[in-house]
Amino acid sequence: MESLFEIACIRAASEYRGADLRALFVEYGLLEQDSPATAEECLRLLHEVSGWLLTDAEIRIAEDSAATSILALIDPRRGHFENWRREYAPAEHAFARRVEYGTLALLGKLRAGANWHRIAREWAYGDRPRTELGVLEQHWLASSAAPQSRESAE
């Protein structure tokens, strides 16, 4: 379920569909229906914390990108804190954010650059692979040598 939620959020944010994004947040339990956070604020927040995945452009990740993204949520001076400080994130969402920010921190240490949005579209939209590693993964997944998930093995 988490990945379906993540994919829906990436698509809504990438396509600037703030009302859909807010509805997803409410449905998933990240946001209460009566929260003061508007659709535009939900969209602005997601672009601020995950813009590296949502922006269709070549982006070099700065070393402090992960810290800057986290601060967008917890620093009262950044404008999001008041709307989000009383909200609750399900455990699986918190884990997904930890993975995202860990990845962002590693990419920042490497000062890696790419069109991360185009790479993310492989997962979110099923687009063709953009990198050599993506092509290799696609071939591996398509091969009979790819391990089955626990659900499909049972």
Side-chain angles (χ1 to χ4, degrees):
M1 169 132 153
E2 176 69 21
S3 68
L4 294 177
F5 169 73
E6 296 284 332
I7 288 170
C9 287
I10 286 174
R11 287 179 175 183
S14 295
E15 298 165 12
Y16 292 89
R17 294 184 285 112
D20 292 342
L21 182 61
R22 187 181 192 287
L24 285 163
F25 284 0
V26 170
E27 180 183 327
Y28 190 70
L30 284 178
L31 196 63
E32 293 294 324
Q33 181 64 45
D34 62 351
S35 169
T38 66
E40 277 305 308
E41 289 167 331
C42 291
L43 194 57
R44 189 170 57 93
L45 172 67
L46 204 58
H47 273 269
E48 189 167 340
V49 300
S50 297
W52 66 289
L53 284 176
L54 303 172
T55 304
D56 190 3
E58 196 67 29
I59 295 176
R60 180 155 315 279
I61 306 296
E63 193 166 349
D64 66 345
S65 291
T68 300
S69 291
I70 293 168
L71 282 173
L73 285 171
I74 63 173
D75 185 346
R77 299 168 296 177
R78 298 288 290 274
H80 301 293
F81 179 79
E82 195 55 42
N83 285 337
W84 293 90
R85 71 185 181 128
R86 292 180 187 87
E87 301 301 335
Y88 169 79
E92 62 272 12
H93 182 75
F95 182 74
R97 296 294 60 78
R98 185 174 181 173
V99 170
E100 179 183 352
Y101 297 138
T103 301
L104 187 58
L106 176 61
L107 292 172
K109 283 281 186 196
L110 296 171
R111 291 182 172 77
N115 186 323
W116 306 107
H117 175 72
R118 289 289 160 182
I119 294 170
R121 286 182 65 91
E122 296 172 25
W123 171 63
Y125 289 90
D127 286 4
R128 68 174 180 75
R130 303 286 294 189
T131 64
E132 181 181 347
L133 184 57
V135 170
L136 291 171
E137 179 189 33
Q138 183 180 55
H139 291 322
W140 178 77
L141 289 170
S143 76
S144 60
Q148 294 182 359
S149 70
R150 183 177 303 196
E151 295 80 16
S152 64
E154 293 176 350

